Amino acid sequence: AIYPDTIPTLSEASAKEAGGFAAPGERECLSVGLLPLAEVRGLKCEVSDLSSPAGGRIPAAAMDLRCSRWQQNCRIFGHHNKTYNYTEHFLVRRTSLDLFPGVARRLYLDIAVPSNAPPGTYSGVVTIKSVAGKSSDRIPVSLEVLPVSLQEPPVYFAASWGGAILKEH
């Protein structure tokens, strides 16, 4: 979890790209943490197409970039073992993003892989631009499309801990 007061470890801060994998027809959500050192208002985030060396392409229109909106929440145990906490509650689209010094934010990139996407590694970039339109940061994104196809199950099952049979298993 990335809380507003989260400070990344050295290995987390040195990550070079956001990456994941998915099968054709599947959705994959990648997340990126931002920790600003200065106040910046009105940032715009843009996503490029993802392309593979073999010529495959996942268009930017198949991706949805959102950030979280925090809400107060009471828990038995929470962040720093306090019972009163903030949690990410909604993922919202923002036309612009305001960042404040030392307040971590997380961006979520939801990628809908086309069902006819050929297998391979697809690469692109999330660009963060200032109000003036200058690129202030570029976050490389890679997605490995697997050489498997998902099958539609004949039946879906769901359960809850309220059922006695599930508790026995």
Side-chain angles (χ1 to χ4, degrees):
I2 297 176
Y3 293 95
D5 64 344
T6 296
I7 304 295
T9 64
L10 187 57
S11 64
E12 291 169 333
S14 63
K16 301 294 183 225
E17 73 178 7
F21 61 89
E26 188 179 11
R27 299 183 81 94
E28 173 68 0
C29 186
L30 307 177
S31 67
V32 175
L34 303 175
L35 181 65
L37 302 178
E39 183 174 325
V40 185
R41 292 184 178 266
L43 292 174
K44 306 275 186 201
C45 298
E46 296 177 357
V47 182
S48 73
D49 293 349
L50 301 181
S51 58
S52 74
R57 185 176 150 273
I58 300 174
M63 294 177 261
D64 188 14
L65 186 66
R66 297 183 183 217
C67 64
S68 58
R69 189 171 84 191
W70 291 81
Q71 178 173 314
Q72 296 171 342
N73 189 1
C74 291
R75 300 172 171 224
I76 296 172
F77 293 104
H79 182 52
H80 298 307
N81 292 325
K82 296 177 184 170
T83 56
Y84 187 68
N85 200 359
Y86 286 89
T87 57
E88 293 176 309
H89 192 66
F90 296 107
L91 295 180
V92 294
R93 291 184 189 98
R94 299 236 184 246
T95 56
S96 66
L97 186 63
D98 297 335
L99 300 177
F100 301 95
V103 180
R105 294 294 301 264
R106 185 162 39 175
L107 299 177
Y108 293 86
L109 178 62
D110 182 58
I111 305 169
V113 181
S115 58
N116 61 350
T121 301
Y122 291 70
S123 300
V125 68
V126 173
T127 304
I128 301 174
K129 294 184 175 186
S130 69
V131 175
K134 289 176 47 178
S135 175
S136 61
D137 204 358
R138 296 170 54 87
I139 303 164
V141 174
S142 71
L143 181 74
E144 181 183 355
V145 175
L146 303 173
V148 298
S149 58
L150 299 177
Q151 296 182 12
E152 195 74 25
V155 118
Y156 291 93
F157 292 97
S160 72
W161 284 114
I165 295 173
L166 183 61
K167 289 180 183 177
E168 292 174 14
H169 293 284

